[in-house]
Amino acid sequence: MKRERNPDGLQEAEAKSDTAKPTAVFEAAGGRAYTTTLAGQIARALAVFCVDEVVVFDDEGSKLQQRSGSNNGKPHYYQNGGNGFTGYADPNYFLMHILSYLETPPFLRRHLFPMHPDLKQAGSLPSLDMPHHLRSTEWCRYREGITVEETAEDEGSKRRKKHKKGEARPVEMSLVDVGLARKTVVPATIPPNTRVTIKLPKDVSIDATEDGGPIAAKAVAPSAPREEEGYYWGYSVRAATCLSAVITECDYPGGYDLTLGTSERGAPITELTRSMSEGNEVPTFNHMLIVFGGVAGLEVAVGADDELQKMGVKEPKQLFDYWVNLCPGQGSRTIRTEEAIWLGLMGLREVVVSKGRR
């Protein structure tokens, strides 16, 4: 029996939004349990609002020099992060580690994430339960999986296969564990322990009681579930050494076509949504970037960014299409970054839904 994963309510995935957040999010945090909880709160916001990419940037200009770069559409798997807890010494690495771990389907985590002190309390965090976190009894044509080593029997079978001179050689196959009772096989040579997105045939049975060999499937791009069926399929994680790198190192062709910076000194976010209702159109977009500052604001990040200083940028609002205040009249002197993320994504939801290109 198969339960179908219902895509209703996931069409937000067709409008792509990205968030950038600074290292300073953890500087005022307490112990290990609290820093882990903060990372979990951020991950929950990313999942709830169907964010495609999260960029962790250093607002002090030096901490991420050795870890900057992209992960080509999927989270990094932090296998060489040292043996100690990094939440204090390298909070950017810690945040990316936790975010990547939580984005990964649970059955894959033990394969892709070795035991590490950063993850000691990650098991207590609320589940993200995203569409690609499928249970073994749930049906969806797309699944995340990991390539596995062939057994000795499989290898022996391959060696025994012969082909006549002039015949096409057999297609190399890779075995993929996608969390079902039956594994899948794809016509491609993929190294073992590689995360891969799989597309299953329409009417294949995933019933554990049925005796059958591997399911013939196809390896597809991680973006295929979104582009073909409108599923939200998780977020990628990227590091940036400074604020300017958040924008200039964008992986999307053409970059971000709508950018918003957040500050208590910005225009009330209600003005942005009100202008839409009054006919002052916010432009449509393919990729919207929302940038959140630390407790001291994005001004600190601008001052520490050598490239922006060379360009003569004095105020962060010069970098963005819109400069918005997420909570006008706030009762506390400061709004923490993890709080601002929830406020911002909720406040801009109407913009994402109505202006994101389908």
Side-chain angles (χ1 to χ4, degrees):
M1 180 178 179
K2 61 184 181 183
R3 290 171 51 204
E4 185 168 358
R5 188 68 158 187
N6 188 353
D8 290 349
L10 303 176
Q11 300 307 312
E12 180 95 9
E14 298 175 354
K16 300 182 179 180
S17 58
D18 309 84
T19 67
K21 45 191 63 66
T23 298
V25 67
F26 288 128
E27 288 185 354
R32 179 181 304 193
Y34 188 48
T35 54
T36 301
T37 299
L38 290 184
Q41 290 176 4
I42 292 171
R44 283 288 301 170
L46 301 177
V48 168
F49 293 102
C50 301
V51 171
D52 296 277
E53 177 193 36
V54 55
V55 186
V56 179
F57 70 94
D58 184 8
D59 52 359
E60 295 180 2
S62 61
K63 295 178 182 175
L64 278 166
Q65 291 295 333
Q66 301 303 317
R67 303 191 193 279
S68 64
S70 169
N71 57 358
N72 297 319
K74 279 298 168 189
H76 293 284
Y77 305 120
Y78 296 80
Q79 299 187 3
N80 300 307
N83 298 320
F85 176 68
T86 64
Y88 308 132
D90 195 351
N92 11 262
Y93 177 89
F94 174 79
L95 177 58
M96 296 174 70
H97 198 173
I98 295 292
L99 293 181
S100 295
Y101 177 83
L102 293 176
E103 187 278 341
T104 302
F107 86 94
L108 290 179
R109 292 172 184 167
R110 63 188 176 89
H111 299 288
L112 297 173
F113 291 87
M115 292 182 66
H116 193 282
D118 285 351
L119 305 175
K120 184 175 181 179
Q121 294 175 306
S124 65
L125 296 175
S127 171
L128 301 191
D129 200 24
M130 293 185 283
H132 63 302
H133 289 195
L134 291 156
R135 296 159 182 81
S136 61
T137 55
E138 288 182 309
W139 165 254
C140 179
R141 286 200 69 187
Y142 303 93
R143 299 186 81 94
E144 292 295 291
I146 186 169
T147 52
V148 298
E149 293 275 10
E150 290 182 319
T151 64
E153 181 180 351
D154 293 329
E155 288 287 358
S157 298
K158 183 185 290 187
R159 285 194 296 269
R160 287 193 296 271
K161 288 181 181 176
K162 303 213 181 264
H163 61 281
K164 297 178 181 178
K165 187 175 181 180
E167 280 186 351
R169 298 185 67 86
V171 177
E172 293 294 326
M173 310 294 278
S174 295
L175 202 61
V176 184
D177 182 357
V178 293
L180 298 173
R182 299 168 62 190
K183 290 183 172 58
T184 63
V185 62
V186 297
T189 304
I190 306 173
N193 298 315
T194 300
R195 179 173 167 176
V196 60
T197 305
I198 293 297
K199 185 176 183 180
L200 299 172
K202 283 186 178 180
D203 299 318
V204 68
S205 172
I206 61 172
D207 195 331
T209 63
E210 290 196 15
D211 186 19
I215 301 169
K218 181 168 67 171
V220 297
S223 59
R226 167 194 297 282
E227 295 172 353
E228 296 177 7
E229 298 291 343
Y231 285 107
Y232 173 56
W233 211 247
Y235 53 79
S236 63
V237 181
R238 176 166 69 91
T241 56
C242 56
L243 179 56
S244 60
V246 171
I247 300 172
T248 60
E249 295 177 0
C250 173
D251 289 331
Y252 299 122
Y256 304 111
D257 43 8
L258 183 64
T259 59
L260 298 96
T262 60
S263 169
E264 63 180 4
R265 291 166 284 280
I269 193 171
T270 51
E271 291 187 9
L272 182 63
T273 53
R274 187 185 304 121
S275 67
M276 292 171 55
S277 62
E278 294 175 352
N280 299 320
E281 285 294 312
V282 174
T284 56
F285 65 88
N286 288 314
H287 305 284
M288 178 175 75
L289 173 70
I290 311 165
V291 182
F292 300 91
V295 174
L298 289 171
E299 288 80 1
V300 174
V302 170
D305 192 317
D306 292 339
E307 291 300 318
L308 294 181
Q309 294 306 301
K310 291 176 185 177
M311 296 168 59
V313 176
K314 301 300 182 185
E315 298 183 7
K317 66 181 180 181
Q318 296 173 251
L319 301 172
F320 305 105
D321 298 317
Y322 295 94
W323 185 237
V324 297
N325 182 351
L326 301 176
C327 188
Q330 64 194 58
S332 173
R333 287 192 182 95
T334 58
I335 293 178
R336 295 183 58 87
T337 305
E338 68 275 11
E339 298 165 342
I341 291 168
W342 280 95
L343 288 170
L345 294 176
M346 187 67 231
L348 292 167
R349 183 173 177 80
E350 182 182 349
V351 177
V352 174
V353 171
S354 62
K355 296 300 178 180
R357 291 197 183 101
R358 301 290 176 175

